[in-house]
Amino acid sequence: MSGEAMLIEAARIIAKRRVAYGHPASSMAAIAARWSVTLGTPVTPATVALCLIDLKLARLAHDPAHADSITDIAGYAAVLREVVTQHQQEGI
C-alpha cells in the first residue's frame, strides 16, 4: 500500500469512528476523564492521543511492518490535530 493510500485509509477509519463515537475531541476528552481517575492525575485529550500513538509505536517495535499499526498512528496524529484545534477554538 502506498503512503497516499494508507492516509486515505486512515481518513476513512476516522470518519467511521466519528459516526460511531462522535467528534474525536469529545471521544478523547471522555477517555482523558476516565484515565485521570484511573491514574490519579490530570490527563488531557491531547495526552490520550499521544499515548495511543505511543502504544502503536511500542507494537511497531515488535513488528515494524505491521500495516494496521502504521495506519493507526497516522489516524491518531490526525485526531491529535483535531483535539488541538478544538482546544484552541474553545480558548482553553
Side-chain angles (χ1 to χ4, degrees), residues 40-54:
T41 190
V43 176
T44 68
T47 301
V48 172
L50 290 169
C51 287
L52 292 171
I53 290 169
D54 200 36

Side-chain angles (χ1 to χ4, degrees), residues 31-44:
I31 295 166
R34 295 183 62 85
W35 287 6
S36 293
V37 172
T38 299
L39 298 171
T41 190
V43 176
T44 68

Side-chain angles (χ1 to χ4, degrees), residues 2-84:
S2 70
E4 291 86 356
M6 185 265 312
L7 290 172
I8 290 168
E9 175 65 9
R12 186 193 67 74
I13 292 167
I14 292 168
K16 187 175 176 181
R17 298 296 184 267
R18 186 184 310 270
V19 171
Y21 303 116
H23 192 280
S26 299
S27 181
M28 294 295 112
I31 295 166
R34 295 183 62 85
W35 287 6
S36 293
V37 172
T38 299
L39 298 171
T41 190
V43 176
T44 68
T47 301
V48 172
L50 290 169
C51 287
L52 292 171
I53 290 169
D54 200 36
L55 167 71
K56 296 299 179 170
L57 289 170
R59 289 181 177 173
L60 283 172
H62 176 71
D63 179 6
H66 192 258
D68 286 348
S69 290
I70 295 168
T71 302
D72 288 346
I73 288 171
Y76 286 129
V79 166
L80 177 60
R81 182 69 217 144
E82 290 198 38
V83 166
V84 169

